[in-house]
Amino acid sequence: MTSSESHEPGYVSLRSVSKAFGDVYAVNDLDLDIQSGEFFSMLGPSGSGKTTVLRMIAGFETVTSGTVHIDGENITDLAPFDRTVNTVFQDYALFPHMTIQDNVEYGLRTRKVPKDERARQASEAIDRVKLSLVADRLPHQLSGGQRQRIALARALVLRPKVLLLDEPLGALDKQLREEMQVELKTIQREAGITFVFVTHDQEEAMRMSDRIAVFNAGRIEQLGTPHEVYENPATAFVAGFLGISNLLDGEKAMALVGRSELVNIRPERIRLHGAGHKPEKDFSSVEGVVIEVAYTGANTITIIENSAGVRLISTQLNEELPGHKDSFAVGDRVVATWRSSHVATIPH
Ligand code: ATP
């Protein structure tokens, strides 16, 4: 049995899927398997094709070639409303003149669910997103975060096997966004639904996902757990897109790590010490001068440059700085050290 034939509820499978808009391929020969009950994120820069993939799963966009399966059923040619998926958009798309309760009941009404039953199911969904107290209000009487939760309740009440979310938190401010990330994740775990989540925010994807597909120019550069894509990026693009990187190759890599292939050292792996520091066993080191220091609250980011002009970025938790005092200052001579085992080779 091939994976596209799995009949587990909420199993999404794309085979050789391409999408062309005129001459431009937004998605190119994509194979993708999303597991049942998984929180799966598609992460990538603007224009990398992630929304187009989501829209092809939803049925809002036809495929140019390839197939889409859900639970083993070939849904490639089905209309959106015949698919067992629902989509939550960034702009919520609530009906402004209907109460919250009526907004959530709406989809059940179109499915001809009897009145009492749909009231019960809608109340349960509103309860799940913790908004029972405002069920009688109109959408404009809610905050942005509350409207987003209602949009979610409206999708959840239809009990889709797969919920598609297109940058659903994009319109929220940072604090609300972080609260909603936790809530979304909790709701997903409790409901046991497959979530396919589009975002260009790498921290958001890392925080919420079981697995992440990193998109670039219509292709998946790497697919893995947050830990895998961060610690072992398959390409320089992935290393650069997820967090800050120190990418070195050729002579620079040879000088610092003793080999000339493309390597990456994450900034949090690099420790800074005063001039003259002797590295411990299993540590590599380089001497340099501090050229920039940035305080970001929890961390201090320091950039150093050695005599050959090679720059390294180091981030340290302020809590861990010696004596909790200030970091190094611009112009200080320092020794940067890192464990040799923390140098990651980038395969491509
Ligand atoms: P964003 O984060 O900005 O939404 P994305 O990664 O989701 O970006 P897509 O929206 O999937 O990217 O777009 C991928 C490519 O396809 C882009 O080059 C875009 O301009 C193009 N594209 C998307 N929709 C259409 C369309 N309806 N007509 C023509 N080109 C399109």
Side-chain angles (χ1 to χ4, degrees), residues 231 265-271 283 315 337-339 342:
E231 294 293 340
I265 315 169
R266 289 291 185 188
E268 65 273 19
R269 303 294 195 189
I270 296 180
R271 292 276 160 270
F283 278 75
T315 55
T337 66
W338 57 90
R339 257 183 210 286
H342 286 152

Side-chain angles (χ1 to χ4, degrees), residues 191-304:
I193 297 174
T194 309
F195 270 36
V196 186
F197 188 86
V198 163
T199 181
H200 61 266
D201 179 334
Q202 54 104 4
E203 263 183 49
E204 183 164 281
M206 299 270 290
R207 188 180 286 204
M208 303 179 77
S209 316
D210 295 312
R211 289 189 306 154
I212 302 174
V214 184
F215 277 73
N216 182 25
R219 293 176 186 278
I220 293 177
E221 292 253 337
Q222 188 171 7
L223 197 159
T225 63
H227 189 269
E228 282 164 358
V229 292
Y230 185 80
E231 294 293 340
N232 294 305
T235 66
F237 175 84
V238 175
F241 197 73
L242 283 114
I244 307 171
S245 292
N246 288 293
L247 287 169
L248 303 164
D249 65 356
E251 283 175 19
K252 289 179 180 175
M254 186 53 92
L256 266 67
V257 303
R259 50 189 204 254
S260 60
E261 63 212 323
L262 181 61
V263 297
N264 184 31
I265 315 169
R266 289 291 185 188
E268 65 273 19
R269 303 294 195 189
I270 296 180
R271 292 276 160 270
L272 298 180
H273 313 265
H277 173 86
K278 293 274 172 289
E280 298 145 52
K281 188 172 174 289
D282 300 328
F283 278 75
S284 304
S285 69
V286 65
E287 286 182 21
V289 176
V290 173
I291 60 165
E292 200 177 315
V293 180
Y295 173 80
T296 65
N299 299 303
T300 294
I301 303 173
T302 311
I303 304 179
I304 70 154

Side-chain angles (χ1 to χ4, degrees), residues 46-62:
S46 184
S48 58
K50 48 202 193 300
T51 297
T52 302
V53 172
L54 197 81
R55 290 173 60 80
M56 289 190 289
I57 299 172
F60 298 132
E61 208 73 78
T62 57

